[in-house]
Amino acid sequence: MHAVVITEYGGPEVLKLVVRDSPKLNDNEVLVEVKAAGVNRPDVFQRKGNYPAPAGAVADIPGLEVSGIIVALGKGVTKWSKGDRVCALVTAGGYATQVAVHQDICLPIPNGLTFVEAAALPENIYTVWDNVFRRGRLSAGEGILIHGGSGGIGSIAIQLSKVFGARIFTTASTTEKCKYCADLGAEIAINYKNSDFETVLKGEQVNVILDSIGGDYFEKNIDLLAPEGRLVYINAVGGAKVPLNIFKLMQKRLSVTGSTLRARDICFKAELTQDIFQNVWPLIGEKFRPQVFKKIPLADAAKAHLLMESGNFLGKLVLTV
């Protein structure tokens, strides 16, 4: 197979297309002939040496989500057949023409979606469903603040929150990105470079906040949350160490939580996959669609990383085979 590998830690130029042996299948794995692979910020962190693959995963091939066709089955596989069109969450190895995936972490490509659109689904939907709806317990009529609403996770979070009847507030870095968020369903979209989101949203009911920033956003988030509010972290690019006024937490009965997905075990991911299949999969194509900004050939993965780091995109970047 062909694969894009991290030849050493560094800038996008360290990504090189090479020839590798095809993956060997375990009993419960399928071999997917990859047609497209999603690009995510963790791929950039891995390339820089800040987010190593979990033990047992391919260490030097990034990529957390793929779509394609099943071309081989492990001897214990019962859920899939050769020729099935699937998308899947993977711990690593997505930037390749073949990848081995546990059968319980595959999902059928929804009717009407292309391979490119399907590759943009798994990482972001798993993250949003687990953090916004399971940990954050977002329900109809509540208000949610989504920081960074114009990216892959943000665009899914806005659309799903709208489907489930929430009021949506979001932050983004440009007027264009704010309009994009509004078009997806955000009621208030705040350009954080021009306005303070805490000031703008003062008086609004904010029950859930999905944050990947941390740092000085933390205290503002705590102050904004309504009683019984839930603050959910999926990253902390602005700083992981923050001051906490415990009395505010107690007085408003707040919950602060968060999660990472990549290193979770197969049992957790399999259960989450089924939950998503039952609750989210019927909505795709009917109530919302993945937002693909640009498709880029696999061999040009370095260009995709340059674009990712520039921030000059809306929704998702996808590599194509």
Side-chain angles (χ1 to χ4, degrees), residues 176-309:
E176 179 189 15
K177 289 181 179 181
C178 286
K179 182 182 183 303
Y180 174 75
C181 293
D183 290 343
L184 290 177
E187 184 175 326
I188 299 175
I190 303 157
N191 184 335
Y192 65 79
K193 292 189 175 181
N194 297 335
S195 302
D196 178 72
F197 69 85
E198 182 184 9
T199 301
V200 174
L201 294 177
K202 187 176 182 180
E204 299 288 352
Q205 178 177 301
V206 180
N207 305 97
V208 178
I209 298 177
L210 181 67
D211 189 19
S212 59
I213 308 301
D216 60 5
Y217 276 30
F218 179 80
E219 289 182 277
K220 295 180 179 183
N221 290 336
I222 292 292
D223 289 340
L224 268 179
L225 279 168
E228 307 288 351
R230 289 84 72 192
L231 174 55
V232 187
Y233 277 97
I234 54 174
N235 207 335
V237 297
K241 294 184 178 181
V242 296
L244 169 61
N245 184 328
I246 294 175
F247 284 109
K248 287 184 180 179
L249 197 76
M250 295 164 58
Q251 289 161 355
K252 293 203 285 184
R253 304 174 301 282
L254 303 179
S255 299
V256 180
T257 184
S259 71
T260 58
L261 178 61
R262 189 181 194 184
R264 299 299 296 268
D265 61 32
I266 288 295
C267 291
F268 172 83
K269 290 179 181 176
E271 186 272 328
L272 180 56
T273 300
Q274 282 305 304
D275 199 16
I276 287 169
F277 181 68
Q278 292 171 9
N279 292 286
V280 181
W281 233 239
L283 305 173
I284 299 172
E286 297 293 329
K287 299 291 187 178
F288 79 97
R289 295 185 76 91
Q291 300 289 306
V292 176
F293 179 75
K294 189 173 185 178
K295 53 184 183 180
I296 299 167
L298 178 68
D300 293 331
K303 294 180 180 178
H305 277 224
L306 277 172
L307 184 54
M308 171 69 73
E309 290 187 276

Side-chain angles (χ1 to χ4, degrees), residues 4-68:
V4 171
V5 303
I6 301 169
T7 56
E8 60 180 316
Y9 297 136
E13 70 280 357
V14 306
L15 298 175
K16 303 295 183 185
L17 188 68
V18 303
V19 176
R20 283 280 177 90
D21 290 337
S22 296
K24 291 182 171 59
L25 294 182
N26 293 328
D27 288 351
N28 291 312
E29 291 182 330
V30 298
L31 184 66
V32 176
E33 180 183 293
V34 176
K35 299 297 184 182
V39 179
N40 295 280
R41 290 203 179 275
D43 304 343
V44 173
F45 300 149
Q46 181 176 347
R47 189 201 76 221
K48 293 180 176 180
N50 300 325
Y51 193 49
V58 181
D60 61 347
I61 304 176
L64 301 176
E65 56 187 348
V66 299
S67 67

Side-chain angles (χ1 to χ4, degrees), residues 139-154:
S139 60
E142 290 192 318
I144 178 171
L145 169 58
I146 300 162
H147 288 300
S150 64
I153 288 174

Side-chain angles (χ1 to χ4, degrees), residues 123-160:
E123 171 69 11
N124 295 156
I125 283 185
Y126 279 64
T127 298
V128 170
W129 186 253
D130 189 39
N131 287 282
V132 172
F133 295 94
R134 303 210 312 179
R135 292 181 174 277
R137 307 186 308 280
L138 181 68
S139 60
E142 290 192 318
I144 178 171
L145 169 58
I146 300 162
H147 288 300
S150 64
I153 288 174
S155 62
I156 291 291
I158 290 171
Q159 291 184 86
L160 272 183

